[in-house]
Structure formats: C-alpha cells, structure tokens
C-alpha cells in the first residue's frame, strides 16, 4: 500500500492541470533524497513481507465479503508494539494487510521467525472479528461481482467505478481509493475493460455465452469473462517482500538479480483460478490487475506498451560487469521515458555516467499522478517526498526500487509478483525461499541477467493455466558473475529444471542449499528451513498442486458443479469454509496430502 494522505482530492480535470507540477516537484524531492542518501553504506540485509487477507462471513450456507475494514483496523491499532505485528488498509473494504511490526534479519535464522509471526498476525486480527467472520488468505474472492457477494445494500453503478457488477461500497472509504478508481476511468476516457478466458470444461458451451453477464463491450470475444472495475484487480490479495541492500549499488544489483525471478515465482505461487464466478483459463491474478488499473488512452497504447501495473522494462545496476558489458543486449525492449524529466535528472549532476538510473526514474514519470490532495500541493521539497511517492506508488511493477524514506531505513527493493497462499506455512515457505535467493544473489555473486524481452515472454507463460506443467521458461544457465567474460547461455526450461536443477543448469534449490551449508544452523533449524524448501521443490516438480490447481479441483469435484465453469453459491460457500478451516487449523499435513497429484 502506498501513501495515505488526508485531505480533499481534486477532481480529475484539476489533477490533469497539476500533473506537470507534481512530476517536476516529485523529481526535485527525489533528487533531495538521492543526494542525502547516495553515500549511505553498510545497511543490514533486513527484509519483511506483506500479506493481505479478506474478511468473509460464513452463515446459513451463504458466504459474503464483510465490509468492516475501518472498524477492524481501528481496533487492531491498539495491539501493543511488543507483539511485532502491524496492520494496514488496502483497496477493498473487506481487506486487511498485515506486516511484521519491525523487519526481520539480518541473521539468516530470522527466517524462522516469520511463520510464528504470520500465525500471530492472523490470530490477533481474528480476535476482533464477529461471529461467523473469517480471515482468508485468498487471491481473488470467487464470487466477486456476482449477485449479493458483499454485505451491503448499495446498488452497483456508483459514481466511482460505474460498474455493472461492483457497488462502490466495497472500496476503502478513504477518499484516495474511490478517487483513484474514478480518475483512472476519467483519464482513460472510458471504464476499464478486463478479460480472462473462460476455462472450457466438458459442459461449457462453445461458443460460450456468459450466464452471469449480459452486457459486454463489442471488443471482447465470446469466451471472455468480462470485468469492468478497478476492484476486480486491486481487490485481489498478494504476497510481497521487501529487501534492504547494503547501499544504493547493492540494492540496484538486487533489483536486477530478482527481476528474472518474477514470472517464475508468479507461476510457482499460482493461486487465483476464479474471476467473477467463472473458472478461468489462467491460474494467476496479474493480468487482471494490470487491466484493472490501466489508465492509458487508446492513443497512448500505441506508444506506451504496458499498463502502469506491469512487469519492469529495464535493469538498473551501475556496477555489474555482465550488464555493463552489453546493457543494450539485456535492456532490449523500448523504454518510454519523459524527456523533460530525463533533462531534469541529468542536469542535477547526480547521475554522471549513470544513464540506467535516469532511464528507470524517467520511465516511472511517464505516468500522470492519479490523485492529488488540494492541501498537499504546496510542499517543502527538501523534506517532503509526497509528490515523488505519488508517482512511485502508482507504478505497480513486478519490482520496485525504494529509496530511503528517512534516516533509519536504507535503499530497498520490493519483490511484488507472488500470489498469496492459503496457509501461513506456504506464505512462510515462499517468503523464506525468496530471502534465501536474495542472499544467494548477493553472497554467491550470482546474476540471472537475461534480455527483458525474455522476462516479458516468461510473464506471458506464467499466465498459462497449469503453467508449471505446460510452460517452459527462458533462463540464463551460467549465473556466476565470475563467468562474465564467457558468452551468456539461455535455455528454455521447465520450472522443475530451473528450481531443482538439470544437467545444463545447477538449479535454484541446489544454490540455496550450498548457501545454507555456509550458515551456522542447528539441526532443527535446518530441518524447518528444509520443510519450506521441499514445498518449493515439490511445487516446481509438479508433484504437489499449486493452490490454484487445488481450488480448481475442489470446484470440479463438488457435487453441485455442472462442469460448465460456473461457481454456484454453494460451491463458493463450501470452498470458503474449507479454506477457512485449512487456514485456521494450520493442518499442514492434511493440506499436503490433499495437494498430492495423483
Ligand atoms: P509498501 O510501501 O510496499 O506497502 P511497507 O512500508 O508496508 O511497504 O513495508 C513493506 C515491508 O518492508 C514490511 O514487511 C516491512 O517490515 C519491511 N521493512 C521495513 N523497513 C525495512 C527495512 N529497513 N529493510 C527491509 N524491509 C523493511
Ligand atoms: Mg508493498
Ligand atoms: Mg498491499
Ligand atoms: Mg504495505
């Protein structure tokens, strides 16, 4: 979640007038930050996760989203700091984001603190729920936008979203959120148009006529599940991680090292197979959010290839010999920049011989600010970063490069593609694996540079249904920086080969293993870490199901399911009830046995 300012949001036509002003002052603020912190050194490798829950009520055979965010957050603010948990608002009024109170690390043993902390976050929050309400860690709410899916009397078609399916009441009440929704639509000139393909089950008509939606834009194909509001995307939950670099250069290296992992981890964490009551032909949320906040006009789409929620377009390292040897080979997609901003950055004198960071920031500044608060236009640019954060926090890319916000926090990178998992164990496992991969990158001097066009192609592959089994991914197979002089080798590999290794590639898990063998860990600590790594390994090999496959199978084996791709209220209720039990019981053994592929 980005910044939350209080105040009066300007209407869209006013925002448009101030766009250049916000960009210009955003850059001035960024330049102050860079000059203040560019020589900051020796920050510890701290890290922290963010998980998002949905509050679902299960009562009398009916499941509904509960719109109680303000109430529950008010109460959660009273939890003492000593508990080391922290709760934050999110776009959906049925959502709660939870983070540790303080980041973890630097000792690698701190990875073992995450799972107990995740349990505590869930338990403490659940204590404030009313009877029948549950906190679920699910990527999308299956019946989002279908019939009376949320506890509200408000009609659809409200002024913010003007949606055929979602009442505005499901949006966080803070004025930033309805304003974001309205301004994306106004900037774009029409409502957002989101579509995913319907999963063609044995009784799904061909061609399909969506029984849950009668109006749809002409541009959409008959096999598309149509969605028309920001809430379908930003109302999804995810799992994010932030890593601190020792200094600005190490953070830049880490950003680049982790970027090629983004599509792989999206595919490996797949947990979102249902949208607007329909089983879809993909297992992940990413493209849905990308379309849900796509504010480009039709004209701009010809010039700007990606939504502001999309995969990154360029690497940013300053010192990496592999990138330096042939930056154009790796940064091989056209990166749209803002010439005025490029000039402003270059003339600061802070970026001598550093075109990649200029390109990175100038690329972020091609976007307009979406929400401006009247009271916050005038700022002291030497102390405030509001205008910079306005642009930065609405560039929702697979990776985010985060400058220090104050004297106590260093240069960080955020890894943003992963899907939220149903259980705390799984969320801990994916997070711990990524912490270990970040350590592997830094300590073993690994780099995974491949042309950005390959990362983009992998991102598409990650959207295939069951992409673990059906997809192959481009990946670099010589990853030690010492081999910088040798020619790069790229291969099309399965996730099993990339994670578990194969004759031509060492594999992530063996890399992690060799890193762990250099760490001083007790036997039981190592055993616990191994249990996380075995989840990752079994998922990559396809021996156990992703949460998406498991959810799909739950639907397809339900007595009410007619093999027509449609999720009924009963199917949804039973699915939500099962998920709430798995999440709350923490019965990992049972989950693993359910996840085993036959
Ligand atoms: P966002 O802007 O993405 O919402 P948050 O400020 O909510 O980010 O923090 C994301 C994560 O970063 C949290 O888990 C938090 O604990 C962690 N974090 C805070 N400080 C640091 C730090 N110095 N280094 C690494 N991670 C940190
Ligand atoms: Mg975040
Ligand atoms: Mg969030
Ligand atoms: Mg956050």
């Amino acid at each position: 979640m980005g910044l939350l300012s209080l105040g009066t949001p300007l209407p869209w036509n006013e925002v448009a007038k101030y766009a250049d002003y916000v960009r210009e002052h955003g850059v001035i603020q960024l330049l102050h930050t860079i000059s203040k912190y560019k020589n900051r050194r020796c920050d510890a490798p701290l890290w922290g996760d963010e998980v998002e829950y949905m509050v679902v009520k299960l009562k009398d055979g009916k499941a509904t989203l509960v719109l109680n965010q303000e109430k529950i957050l008010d109460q959660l603010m009273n939890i003492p700091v000593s508990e080391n948990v922290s709760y934050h608002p999110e776009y959906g009024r049925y959502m709660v984001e939870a983070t540790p109170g303080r980041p973890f690390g630097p000792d690698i043993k701190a990875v073992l603190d995450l799972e107990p902390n995740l349990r505590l976050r869930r338990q403490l929050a659940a204590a404030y729920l009313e009877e029948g309400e549950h906190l679920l860690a699910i990527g999308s709410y299956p019946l989002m936008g279908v019939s009376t899916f949320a506890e509200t009397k408000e009609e659809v078609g409200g002024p913010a979203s003007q949606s055929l399916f979602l009442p505005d009441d499901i949006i966080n009440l803070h004025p930033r959120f309805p304003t974001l929704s309205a301004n994306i639509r106004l900037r774009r000139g029409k409502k957002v148009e989101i579509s995913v393909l319907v999963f063609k089950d044995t009784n799904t008509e061909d061609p399909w006529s969506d029984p849950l939606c009668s109006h749809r834009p002409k541009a959409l194909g008959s096999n598309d599940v149509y969605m028309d509001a920001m809430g379908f995307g930003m109302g999804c939950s995810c799992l994010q991680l932030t890593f601190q670099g020792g200094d600005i250069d190490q953070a830049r290296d880490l950003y680049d090292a982790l970027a090629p992992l983004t599509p792989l981890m999206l595919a490996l964490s797949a947990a979102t197979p249902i949208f607007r009551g329909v089983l879809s032909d993909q297992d992940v949320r990413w493209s849905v959010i990308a379309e849900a906040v796509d504010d480009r006009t039709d004209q701009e789409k010809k010039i700007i290839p990606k939504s502001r929620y999309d995969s990154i377009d360029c690497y940013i390292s300053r010192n990496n010999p592999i990138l330096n040897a042939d930056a154009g080979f790796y940064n091989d997609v056209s990166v749209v920049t803002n010439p005025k901003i490029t000039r402003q950055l270059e003339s600061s004198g802070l970026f001598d011989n550093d075109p990649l960071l200029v390109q990175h920031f100038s690329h972020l500044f091609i976007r307009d600010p979406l929400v401006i608060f009247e009271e916050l236009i005038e700022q002291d640019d030497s102390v405030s970063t509001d205008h910079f954060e306005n642009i930065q926090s609405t560039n929702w890319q697979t990776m985010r490069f985060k400058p220090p916000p104050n004297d106590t926090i260093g240069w960080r990178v955020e890894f943003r593609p992963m899907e939220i998992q149903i259980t705390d164990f799984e969320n801990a496992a994916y997070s711990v694996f990524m912490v270990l991969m970040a350590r592997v990158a830094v300590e073993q001097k690994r780099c995974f540079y491949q042309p950005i066009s390959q990362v983009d192609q992998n991102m598409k592959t990650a959207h295939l249904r069951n992409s673990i089994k059906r997809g192959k991914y481009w990946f670099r197979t010589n990853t030690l920086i010492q081999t910088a002089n040798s020619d790069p080798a790229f291969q099309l590999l399965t996730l099993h080969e990339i994670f578990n290794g194969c004759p031509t590639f060492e594999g992530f898990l063996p890399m992690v293993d060799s890193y762990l063998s250099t760490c001083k860990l007790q036997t039981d600590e190592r055993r616990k870490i191994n249990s996380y790594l075995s989840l990752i390994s079994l998922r990559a090999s396809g021996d156990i199901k992703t949460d998406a496959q498991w959810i799909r199978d739950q639907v397809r084996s339900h007595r009410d399911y007619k093999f027509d791709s449609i999720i009924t209220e009963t199917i949804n209720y039973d699915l939500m009830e099962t998920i709430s039990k798995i999440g709350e019981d923490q019965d990992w053994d049972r989950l693993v046995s359910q996840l085993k592929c036959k």
Side-chain angles (χ1 to χ4, degrees), residues 1-2 46-50 88 97 99-100 102-103 240 242-244 400 402 408-410 412 414 416:
M1 259 267 329
L46 304 180
W47 57 274
D49 69 294
E50 298 165 73
H88 316 268
E97 181 184 292
T99 64
R102 297 176 299 282
Q240 297 173 339
T242 295
F243 303 100
Q244 184 164 263
R400 184 177 283 161
K402 295 172 161 179
T408 55
I409 298 180
R412 293 145 303 139
E414 187 181 14
R416 303 167 44 83

Side-chain angles (χ1 to χ4, degrees), residues 563-589:
F563 293 88
D564 57 355
S565 321
I566 298 300
I567 313 299
T568 63
E569 288 217 348
T570 315
I571 298 173
N572 180 58
Y573 178 88
D574 290 342
L575 181 62
M576 294 299 99
E577 193 183 39
T578 307
I579 288 177
S580 81
K581 285 196 182 127
I582 291 169
E584 287 161 16
D585 292 352
Q586 304 300 338
D587 189 347
W588 171 240
D589 288 339

Side-chain angles (χ1 to χ4, degrees), residues 34 218 365 530 534 557:
I34 294 177
K218 284 203 181 65
F365 277 79
N530 283 349
S534 73
S557 58

Side-chain angles (χ1 to χ4, degrees), residues 33-34 36-47 103 242-252 254 388-389 392 400-414:
T33 301
I34 294 177
K36 196 163 166 198
Y37 296 119
K38 67 179 192 301
N39 294 323
R40 195 186 158 102
R41 297 264 178 276
C42 303
D43 277 315
L46 304 180
W47 57 274
T242 295
F243 303 100
Q244 184 164 263
D247 55 29
I248 181 172
D249 289 327
Q250 197 182 73
R252 291 169 67 171
L254 198 52
F388 168 68
E389 283 297 336
Q392 161 100 332
R400 184 177 283 161
F401 181 56
K402 295 172 161 179
N406 56 45
D407 290 347
T408 55
I409 298 180
W411 293 90
R412 293 145 303 139
V413 298
E414 187 181 14

